[in-house]
Amino acid sequence: MKNRSLVSINDLSREEIFRILDMAEEFEKNPSQRILEGKIVATLFFEPSTRTRLSFESAVNRLGGRVIGFSEASSSSVAKGESLKDTILTVANYSDLIVMRHPVEGSARYASEVSPVPIINAGDGANQHPTQTMLDLYSIRKTQGTLNNLKIVMVGDLKYGRTVHSLLMAMSQFNASFVFIAPKELQMPQEYKLFLKEMGLKYEEHTDLAENIKDADIVYMTRVQKERFSDPMDYEKVKNAYILRSCMLEGTKANMRVLHPLPRVNEINVDVDDNAKAYYFTQALNGVYARMAIMASILGLK
Amino acid sequence: MNDKKHLSVSAIQNGTVIDHIPAQNLFKVISILGLDKIPNLITFGTNLESGHLGKKAIVKIADKYFERDEINRIAIVAPHAKLNIIKDYVVVEKMLVEVPDDIVGIVKCVNPKCITNFENVTPKFHVADKKNVSLKCHYCEKITDQEHMEYR
Ligand SMILES: Nc1ncnc2c1ncn2[C@@H]1O[C@H](COP(=O)(O)OP(=O)(O)OP(=O)(O)O)[C@@H](O)[C@H]1O
Ligand SMILES: [Mg+2]
Ligand SMILES: [Zn+2]
């Protein structure tokens, strides 16, 4: 991965995924290594984000590097109409690595083509968010001891959720089976179901949550957003059907863990937080280790 | 075939005849190949009767031969086009176009949120389906299918 950009999870081979996960494990054991000493990482957030930006910045700081950047486009020259290309070429003069979130889809691929320094895509609109996928894979492997042959239940907005799409693509390399639980307005797009069929992988589709998590290894929750419904009445009808409660976890497998990319609104009831099967806050912490590993491997430091 | 009187578009001594172009895409073929920018003698006919295309068009370019890669660029607008290499008034070779693996320029990405529709970025696609010609955007990774194809 040395000097290569990370734009899409599809750019990583199985071997590269394993290498990064192993490295992340090392960082978890020893998170304060000053290997980024003397390096400058630019974090360009053209769109706001809490977790992603702060976990990148935390990762850089713990590894002894420095961070420059902005957290919203209004505080950069973009507000004056500067093109993405010009912003990237300028910032590349000041940094060794650029972490970028941008609302326009494909912007990260384009940035990686014009930039003399590597780019890490921290989200390009509805398209890709590969470091999220890496931390999800890390969390799954850590809690299950393997990535192979797992049953992944995905819940909520499966139509627009880029995290579930990328996770599906990544887990399809490890003989996963899937259960999709979503209101009919937000079901998994046909193209992904076709892809699974072609890969010979099993999936089921349901609209009921409580009934269908009993034999899950991972329950991956996502937010159902009101804005996604053309008719607000349709939202009112389904909004409570996709809330996970602690009582629903009774009778689920002992190794089962609940993941969520966060932020959550109400789709996981707070009573789940104290259940040993809740894993989403640790998952967010794992984001720091996964990002340390990705940056170290791109900068050729490990 | 040396009976020049019966050609619906005049004969050339040496060059290339591109036949079986769907009539409605004639000008796209001309612009994709940059025929409007070369000094060669070019004649064309359009709305000619054709069995399977309905109305076809034909372009004849004197003293010009195309590379495979160059000619394959028209595959998305004229998948059944046939090239006839003319030497000394005679068809000496025929070539069919092939849908290439990648398409650069030519087509617009269907995704309104794609970088290629925001900044001055040349659209690039990987051909996802050669038979029905659907294109996967190199940038936003969305599919543009035949039905939604718009040309630049
Ligand atoms: N010397 C020439 N100058 C210009 N056009 C020519 C010349 N010779 C042939 N053509 C044109 O090239 C095309 C192919 O010629 P050909 O004689 O192979 O016809 P065909 O049997 O109908 O071929 P096809 O099956 O490809 O349609 C025809 O449209 C013909 O008018
Ligand atoms: Mg003919
Ligand atoms: Zn695109």
Side-chain angles (χ1 to χ4, degrees):
Chain A
M1 289 264 311
K2 189 169 180 213
N3 284 326
R4 249 174 59 199
S5 294
L6 176 57
V7 173
S8 166
I9 192 70
N10 308 326
D11 297 346
L12 294 179
S13 67
R14 268 172 76 106
E15 289 64 39
E16 285 170 317
I17 289 176
F18 283 129
R19 226 181 84 76
I20 291 169
L21 297 183
D22 291 345
M23 212 187 286
E25 218 166 79
E26 293 301 313
F27 280 116
E28 178 167 5
K29 286 183 200 135
N30 180 11
S32 298
Q33 312 179 31
R34 304 194 63 79
I35 58 169
L36 283 186
E37 191 105 59
K39 300 285 185 195
I40 297 179
V41 174
T43 53
L44 308 187
F45 279 70
F46 295 85
E47 204 182 45
S49 135
T50 311
R51 242 157 309 276
T52 304
R53 184 172 59 84
L54 293 182
S55 72
F56 263 111
E57 297 189 357
S58 164
V60 175
N61 281 308
R62 282 209 201 285
L63 297 181
R66 293 186 168 256
V67 178
I68 59 172
F70 50 82
S71 54
E72 47 178 337
S74 62
S75 59
S76 75
S77 312
V78 177
K80 298 176 191 147
E82 186 176 55
S83 72
L84 176 61
K85 181 180 178 186
D86 290 8
T87 306
I88 294 293
L89 289 178
T90 308
V91 174
N93 288 326
Y94 312 145
S95 57
D96 302 296
L97 173 66
I98 296 175
V99 174
M100 178 179 114
R101 165 164 298 187
H102 196 290
V104 172
E105 295 163 24
S107 54
R109 177 76 63 199
Y110 175 59
S112 76
E113 289 174 350
V114 299
S115 174
V117 304
I119 302 280
I120 295 178
N121 182 8
D124 60 329
N127 187 31
Q128 286 280 336
H129 188 7
T131 64
Q132 175 72 47
T133 311
M134 288 306 297
L135 79 89
D136 290 345
L137 292 177
Y138 185 77
S139 300
I140 293 172
R141 193 175 77 161
K142 201 176 155 202
T143 58
Q144 307 300 316
T146 176
L147 288 176
N148 296 318
N149 313 319
L150 297 173
K151 183 154 196 167
I152 314 285
V153 178
M154 297 176 158
V155 185
D157 179 356
L158 305 186
K159 182 170 182 191
Y160 298 100
R162 73 179 165 199
T163 38
V164 292
H165 299 160
S166 298
L167 185 60
L168 178 150
M169 296 300 287
M171 288 305 293
S172 70
Q173 299 190 47
F174 301 101
N175 192 39
S177 61
F178 297 90
V179 177
F180 304 135
I181 301 179
K184 66 177 190 321
E185 293 83 354
L186 297 177
Q187 277 176 2
M188 185 60 79
Q190 200 57 35
E191 56 183 292
Y192 293 100
K193 292 188 268 180
L194 274 176
F195 172 79
L196 293 180
K197 263 188 204 143
E198 272 167 30
M199 297 279 294
L201 297 175
K202 275 188 267 165
Y203 69 86
E204 295 165 27
E205 284 185 289
H206 299 286
T207 48
D208 184 86
L209 175 57
E211 299 284 292
N212 293 295
I213 58 176
K214 295 291 178 247
D215 55 352
D217 297 305
I218 292 290
V219 173
Y220 199 99
M221 298 292 299
T222 64
R223 196 148 50 99
V224 174
Q225 289 166 277
K226 197 174 184 168
E227 310 84 86
R228 301 298 191 197
F229 291 79
S230 45
D231 183 350
M233 280 309 290
D234 290 338
Y235 171 74
E236 292 304 319
K237 266 185 267 163
V238 304
K239 70 172 185 198
N240 291 322
Y242 299 92
I243 298 179
L244 187 70
R245 299 172 196 283
S246 197
C247 57
M248 296 176 181
L249 300 180
E250 272 164 44
T252 57
K253 287 169 75 172
N255 63 300
M256 188 276 261
R257 291 295 176 272
V258 179
L259 270 58
H260 189 303
L262 304 181
R264 116 181 105 175
V265 181
N266 65 348
E267 59 279 4
I268 302 179
N269 196 296
V270 288
D271 70 2
V272 178
D273 297 359
D274 299 325
N275 192 302
K277 291 174 181 170
Y279 194 73
Y280 29 94
F281 291 116
T282 313
Q283 181 188 0
L285 168 63
N286 291 341
V288 176
Y289 309 133
R291 287 169 178 129
M292 282 175 170
I294 290 164
M295 288 188 289
S297 99
I298 289 176
L299 290 172
L301 302 171
K302 280 271 170 168
Chain B
M1 206 54 257
N2 291 337
D3 184 6
K4 288 157 223 157
K5 274 186 289 188
H6 293 108
L7 296 185
S8 47
V9 181
S10 62
I12 53 175
Q13 185 172 2
N14 294 298
T16 303
V17 174
I18 309 176
D19 197 359
H20 303 291
I21 300 168
Q24 72 274 16
N25 288 346
L26 168 64
F27 291 95
K28 285 169 194 156
V29 167
I30 290 174
S31 99
I32 290 169
L33 294 176
L35 300 181
D36 46 350
K37 296 187 186 72
I38 58 170
N40 305 48
L41 175 74
I42 300 172
T43 52
F44 62 80
T46 188
N47 295 326
L48 307 166
E49 290 303 331
S50 160
H52 65 289
L53 285 179
K55 301 270 185 200
K56 73 165 185 179
I58 186 163
V59 183
K60 308 191 175 190
I61 309 121
D63 304 315
K64 167 106 190 149
Y65 302 100
F66 294 90
E67 298 290 335
R68 266 250 138 238
D69 292 354
E70 211 179 347
I71 204 67
N72 283 344
R73 290 163 50 83
I74 70 170
I76 41 173
V77 295
H80 306 293
K82 210 184 241 184
L83 270 74
N84 300 274
I85 316 298
I86 311 289
K87 296 219 165 122
D88 212 6
Y89 293 108
V90 182
V91 178
V92 294
E93 196 189 329
K94 283 177 183 280
M95 257 161 70
L96 288 172
V97 302
E98 278 166 27
V99 180
D101 295 335
D102 299 290
I103 304 276
V104 178
I106 311 174
V107 179
K108 278 179 56 173
C109 179
V110 73
N111 178 7
K113 292 197 204 124
C114 177
I115 184 78
T116 59
N117 293 316
F118 273 85
E119 283 203 18
N120 185 17
V121 181
T122 307
K124 274 191 216 147
F125 300 90
H126 310 292
V127 178
D129 178 351
K130 290 204 175 187
K131 204 153 145 263
N132 303 308
V133 191
S134 76
L135 309 176
K136 180 172 186 176
C137 180
H138 167 71
Y139 292 101
C140 74
E141 306 184 20
K142 296 279 171 314
I143 299 280
T144 298
D145 60 20
Q146 193 72 264
E147 191 188 332
H148 296 96
M149 245 171 244
E150 267 185 60
Y151 303 93
R152 300 169 76 228

